[in-house]
Amino acid sequence: MQKRLMVQGRLSDAQLGELSDLFKVDVLAKTSALDAPENRALLAEAHGIIGSGLAITPQLLDAAPNLEVIATVSVGYDNIPVDELTKRGIMLCNTPDVLTETTADTGFALIMATARRVVELAEWVKAGEWQASIGPASFGSDVHGKTLGMVGFGRIGQAVARRGALGFGMPVLYSNASPKPALERELGAKRCELNQLLAEADFVCVTVPLTAETEHLIGAKEFAQMKPTGIFINIARGKVVDEAALIHALESGAIQAAGLDVFEQEPLATSSPLPTMANVVALPHIGSATHETRDAMAQRAVDNIRMALQGERPISLVNQEAYQ
């Protein structure tokens, strides 16, 4: 019997063709939810689901008794109940590694843009306000030689730190991670407690995953511990930060600036003051958004689901216990 897949989101024609050669593939309409009434019959027969932004619930899983694997085209899987999948013997695959460098590029772009006020001053020029040589009111801050504090030191955090240490001579502190002696030797990085990192770093960059323990990890208390000249960067998940506390810290001058690629609510609410604040660079969650990287992520997801349904261990398996 040919196994059946549900595809939600973007795959290339070549990737769809690769899957169609092996499986019966049902491509959902862009606006169609997995558990929409029109998809119930497909769910009942699906052996695999592949896509981005997948919202998986126990009720949806109840409607998919044949499901063997879910392949998300992302590193994060906030909306997927991993324990529930494991209990049912359903594999969950994600796409780490292939987006590490691109996301780190985004993080360092935010460091540079906030420190040198790139967006603010570019808009100033566009508005025709550059009428004379700039003075101290338009000066930014140096990046080279400043202390970079990494809250989280996984693949992406390490890649950001390499850019800072090796490219800009930045001393690196890291917290919320196990000791990394090899990286300490390579980069001169130092592991410390979060409160020390916040007090000493000129740039605080968050890269931790969103878990019950890290939700609102950074709030009013943490912003108060940062330097008034400190710059805050978030390329992790929006809910890692108490956004109301961040706004207050920016408005009150408790910190100098923020570069944000993620928010508690996405897309960002039009009522949020963040996009209009001069000391904020706000991006629409573009961390891995390059043609090359998104294609590589989709291909990793395709490889994961193909291998899983053919009885092989997927390359990027989140819940190892579900592999049989």
Side-chain angles (χ1 to χ4, degrees), residues 41-268:
L42 300 179
L43 269 175
E45 298 184 19
H47 296 89
I49 296 172
I50 182 172
S52 55
L54 299 174
I56 306 296
T57 64
Q59 293 73 27
L60 182 145
L61 298 175
D62 289 340
N66 298 310
L67 195 61
E68 300 176 31
V69 58
I70 295 173
T72 178
V73 188
S74 65
V75 173
Y77 38 87
D78 307 341
N79 295 326
I80 302 176
V82 181
D83 291 344
E84 185 68 27
L85 263 62
T86 303
K87 184 172 69 176
R88 297 172 187 243
I90 300 169
M91 291 175 278
L92 173 63
C93 306
N94 65 343
T95 61
D97 305 322
V98 293
L99 53 67
T100 297
E101 298 301 331
T102 300
T103 306
D105 284 350
T106 301
F108 216 85
L110 284 169
I111 289 172
M112 294 295 295
T114 50
R116 298 306 303 270
R117 301 169 64 180
V118 170
V119 175
E120 176 191 357
L121 295 178
E123 292 299 321
W124 187 63
V125 173
K126 283 182 182 180
E129 296 179 18
W130 184 27
Q131 302 297 326
S133 298
I134 66 168
S138 299
F139 289 175
S141 302
D142 280 335
V143 174
H144 64 273
K146 296 291 184 68
T147 298
L148 174 61
M150 300 303 308
V151 183
F153 211 45
R155 295 181 184 91
I156 293 170
Q158 292 168 25
V160 173
R162 282 195 177 91
R163 285 157 174 73
L166 304 180
F168 289 78
M170 302 177 80
V172 174
L173 303 175
Y174 71 98
S175 68
N176 290 75
S178 57
K180 311 287 184 185
L183 281 164
E184 291 177 8
R185 291 191 295 271
E186 177 190 355
L187 305 178
K190 295 180 181 179
R191 184 170 180 256
C192 63
E193 295 299 320
L194 178 59
N195 59 352
Q196 180 184 348
L197 181 150
L198 294 168
E200 296 183 10
D202 298 295
F203 297 88
V204 174
C205 182
V206 180
T207 63
V208 294
L210 177 62
T211 66
E213 291 72 30
T214 63
E215 185 168 353
H216 281 192
L217 175 69
I218 307 295
K221 173 187 171 185
E222 287 71 32
F223 289 121
Q225 292 175 312
M226 288 179 61
K227 298 177 179 181
T229 55
I231 292 176
F232 180 76
I233 307 293
N234 189 9
I235 55 171
R237 284 291 185 268
K239 291 182 179 180
V240 171
V241 178
D242 180 340
E243 207 160 276
L246 170 61
I247 291 168
H248 178 73
L250 289 163
E251 289 177 336
S252 67
I255 63 173
Q256 178 175 309
L260 310 169
D261 190 40
V262 290
F263 304 88
E264 285 194 292
Q265 176 185 331
E266 295 182 4
L268 188 61

